[in-house]
């Protein structure tokens, strides 16, 4: 069995005792670091960077070297799964992801297939293998994927959106088609996560970034149902579910076969603990905007967060990804406050 020197995050996820609270930061790889922008410039584009294993590995390690976080997260994107299913994406400067082809009808399903990670996503698996070698057992590596519902949103809508009304339209107008697509995504995601684990990922997180656009009943039908299949299929490593905005689904998610539930900053900590129950680890949940404050404010807010969560069954993080214009020293302050608490 693999020995990891600092396994605080894995122990916290499994509900074992820890001597201090572990921390990592969503979107820690990339965005905020000048050393990231240098490598990205060298790569020429986000997609070149993400598909070149040596460079993806390099930017994965950067926040580990700079901040001493308790886990690395593999540098990639949730949108590599639709691409592997036959829907390629473009990453437009300032605008974000765009899909030239989308799924709007049964006909469109003919253009997609189940992902074959060993073939279509070999570049991610290779990056994981390089990172594992470089980490040399120092800290765990987190693998990830989008939750099926969030991936469905991009495959139907074709780009980011405030409302995802095209994606929601299909839920009402053609629920069967939506379910067929969600099942294809789920099956692709399970094989992809298992491939990441085989390559060396020590924990996996599902990002349900657009959970907040659904009603509670729709969320059970179109999201939880599929996350449950993934949780039940993955028993090799701990699984974290992060559903942004799904405050209404906390109790239901607490019943799934996962180890950790991620909270955003809208979710009250004590209330979340009550809803989720004692047998899950919680992760989160500082408002990323706190990091625009001065160092004293960051320390005060972070300490307040720690006091509310307590030391056990907890992995500290922000309540969503760190914003691109946050100064790295502010992130360092957040991390140091946690690690010295
Ligand atoms: O966490 C990490 O540091 C690992 C890398 C990572 C990226 N994307 C790299 C990235 C992770 C975990 C993601 C997840 C992701 N991607 C999510 C879920 C998390 C969340 O924020 O809710 C979503 C919704 C996406 C889709 C996506 N990718 C969008 C909307 C965008 C454009 C805007 C943005 O977030 O920057 C991306 C691009 C992207 N993914 C960048 C990075 C570093 C920026 C691209 C660049 O360098 O130009």
């Amino acid at each position: 069995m693999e020995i990891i020197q600092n396994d605080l995050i894995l122990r916290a996820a499994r509900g074992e005792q820890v001597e201090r609270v572990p921390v990592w930061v969503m979107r820690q790889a990339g965005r905020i670091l000048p050393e990231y922008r240098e490598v990205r410039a060298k790569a020429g584009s986000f997609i070149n960077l993400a598909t070149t294993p040596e460079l993806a590995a390099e930017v994965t390690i950067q926040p580990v070297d700079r901040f001493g976080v308790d886990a690395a997260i593999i540098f990639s994107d949730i949108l590599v799964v639709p691409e592997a299913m036959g829907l390629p994406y473009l990453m437009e400067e300032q605008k974000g992801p765009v899909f030239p082809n989308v799924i709007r009808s049964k006909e469109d399903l003919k253009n997609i297939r189940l992902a074959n990670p060993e073939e279509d996503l070999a570049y991610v698996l290779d990056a994981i293998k390089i990172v594992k070698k470089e980490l040399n057992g120092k800290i765990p590596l987190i693998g990830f994927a989008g939750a099926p519902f969030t991936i469905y949103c991009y495959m139907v809508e074709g780009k980011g959106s405030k409302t995802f009304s095209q994606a929601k339209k299909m839920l009402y107008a053609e629920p069967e088609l939506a379910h067929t697509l969600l099942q294809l995504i789920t099956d692709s995601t399970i094989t992809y996560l298992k491939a990441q684990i085989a390559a060396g990922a020590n924990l996996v997180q599902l990002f349900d970034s657009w959970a907040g656009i659904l009603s509670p009943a729709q969320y059970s039908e179109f999201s939880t149902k599929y996350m449950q299949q993934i949780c039940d299929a993955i028993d090799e490593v701990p699984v974290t579910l992060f559903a942004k905005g799904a405050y209404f689904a906390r109790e239901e998610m607490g019943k799934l076969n996962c180890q950790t539930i991620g909270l955003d900053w809208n979710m009250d900590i004590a209330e979340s603990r009550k809803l989720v129950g004692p047998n899950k680890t919680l992760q989160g949940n500082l408002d990323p905007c706190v990091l625009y404050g001065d160092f004293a404010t960051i320390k005060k807010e972070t300490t307040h967060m720690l006091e509310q969560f307590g030391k056990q069954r907890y992995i500290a993080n922000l309540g969503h990804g760190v914003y691109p214009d946050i100064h790295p020293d502010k992130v360092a302050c957040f991390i140091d406050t946690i690690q010295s608490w």
Side-chain angles (χ1 to χ4, degrees), residues 27-29 31 36 40 76-78 91 144 207 209 320:
R27 311 299 290 270
Q28 69 188 21
R31 286 186 147 187
Y36 165 77
R40 192 190 177 288
S76 184
D77 201 87
I78 62 169
M91 199 60 85
F144 71 90
F207 286 91
S209 305
H320 199 184

Side-chain angles (χ1 to χ4, degrees), residues 24-25 27-31 33 35-36 39 49-50 52-69 71-77 123-124 126-135 138-144:
W24 69 282
V25 176
R27 311 299 290 270
Q28 69 188 21
R31 286 186 147 187
L33 296 180
E35 57 267 34
Y36 165 77
V39 177
L49 175 51
T52 308
E54 292 74 22
L55 297 181
E58 186 179 345
V59 298
T60 298
I61 307 272
Q62 284 173 346
V64 178
D65 290 342
R66 188 190 266 251
F67 300 124
V69 279
I73 177 161
I74 190 67
F75 183 83
S76 184
D77 201 87
Y123 59 90
V124 181
D126 289 343
I128 290 176
K129 289 174 199 157
I130 299 171
V131 170
K132 289 296 290 184
K133 218 175 185 177
E134 288 180 11
L135 286 177
K138 206 167 81 178
I139 50 171
L141 175 65
I142 300 173
F144 71 90

Side-chain angles (χ1 to χ4, degrees), residues 87-106:
L87 276 196
Y89 67 100
L90 312 168
M91 199 60 85
E92 296 192 346
E93 291 299 328
Q94 317 300 335
K95 270 179 66 189
V98 177
F99 288 83
N101 304 307
V102 292
I103 308 293
R104 295 281 168 90
S105 69
K106 228 174 168 170

Side-chain angles (χ1 to χ4, degrees), residues 56-312:
E58 186 179 345
V59 298
T60 298
I61 307 272
Q62 284 173 346
V64 178
D65 290 342
R66 188 190 266 251
F67 300 124
V69 279
D70 295 303
I73 177 161
I74 190 67
F75 183 83
S76 184
D77 201 87
I78 62 169
L79 303 178
V80 301
V81 167
E83 173 153 86
M85 293 174 70
L87 276 196
Y89 67 100
L90 312 168
M91 199 60 85
E92 296 192 346
E93 291 299 328
Q94 317 300 335
K95 270 179 66 189
V98 177
F99 288 83
N101 304 307
V102 292
I103 308 293
R104 295 281 168 90
S105 69
K106 228 174 168 170
E107 279 292 291
D108 294 332
L109 283 183
K110 292 194 184 120
N111 302 325
I112 62 166
R113 56 177 187 270
L114 285 176
N116 176 355
E118 314 294 342
E119 228 163 79
D120 305 316
L121 296 162
Y123 59 90
V124 181
L125 308 179
D126 289 343
I128 290 176
K129 289 174 199 157
I130 299 171
V131 170
K132 289 296 290 184
K133 218 175 185 177
E134 288 180 11
L135 286 177
N136 195 21
K138 206 167 81 178
I139 50 171
L141 175 65
I142 300 173
F144 71 90
F149 176 68
T150 286
I151 296 302
Y152 159 93
C153 281
Y154 284 104
M155 291 177 82
V156 176
E157 197 80 24
K159 56 184 180 346
S161 161
K162 279 205 174 82
T163 56
F164 280 96
S165 49
Q166 290 301 318
K168 284 182 76 177
K169 176 182 167 185
M170 190 187 287
L171 303 182
Y172 291 107
E174 284 188 90
E176 264 172 51
L177 176 58
H179 279 301
T180 305
L181 179 54
L182 282 161
Q183 191 62 55
L184 284 167
I185 298 167
T186 301
D187 295 341
S188 298
T189 302
I190 290 171
T191 35
Y192 179 43
L193 289 174
K194 283 190 179 281
Q196 290 187 41
I197 294 163
N202 302 104
L203 180 154
V204 293
Q205 172 158 322
L206 284 179
F207 286 91
D208 207 357
S209 305
W210 301 111
I213 64 174
L214 294 182
S215 73
Q218 277 184 318
Y219 197 70
S220 302
E221 183 181 350
F222 295 105
S223 186
T224 317
K225 181 178 162 201
Y226 296 98
M227 291 200 294
Q228 176 164 27
Q229 290 183 30
I230 298 174
C231 292
D232 289 344
I234 307 275
D235 51 12
E236 302 90 333
V237 300
V239 176
T240 299
L241 301 182
F242 172 64
K244 172 84 179 60
Y247 58 88
F248 48 79
R250 284 173 289 178
E251 193 171 359
E252 186 171 276
M253 287 200 292
K255 296 193 178 100
L256 298 185
N257 201 359
C258 65
Q259 282 62 44
T260 302
I261 308 262
L263 306 181
D264 68 40
W265 64 93
N266 286 139
M267 299 172 183
D268 180 79
I269 295 166
E271 183 189 44
S272 299
R273 176 48 83 194
K274 235 189 246 157
L275 289 168
V276 161
N279 298 322
K280 297 274 189 248
T281 295
L282 296 177
Q283 175 174 279
N285 73 342
L286 196 74
D287 180 355
C289 287
V290 169
L291 303 189
Y292 290 120
D294 59 18
F295 292 108
T297 304
I298 295 169
K299 262 189 200 156
K300 183 173 131 247
E301 295 290 334
T302 303
T303 305
H304 182 58
M305 170 187 81
L306 290 163
E307 284 164 352
Q308 288 176 277
F309 276 108
K311 192 163 125 184
Q312 306 300 335

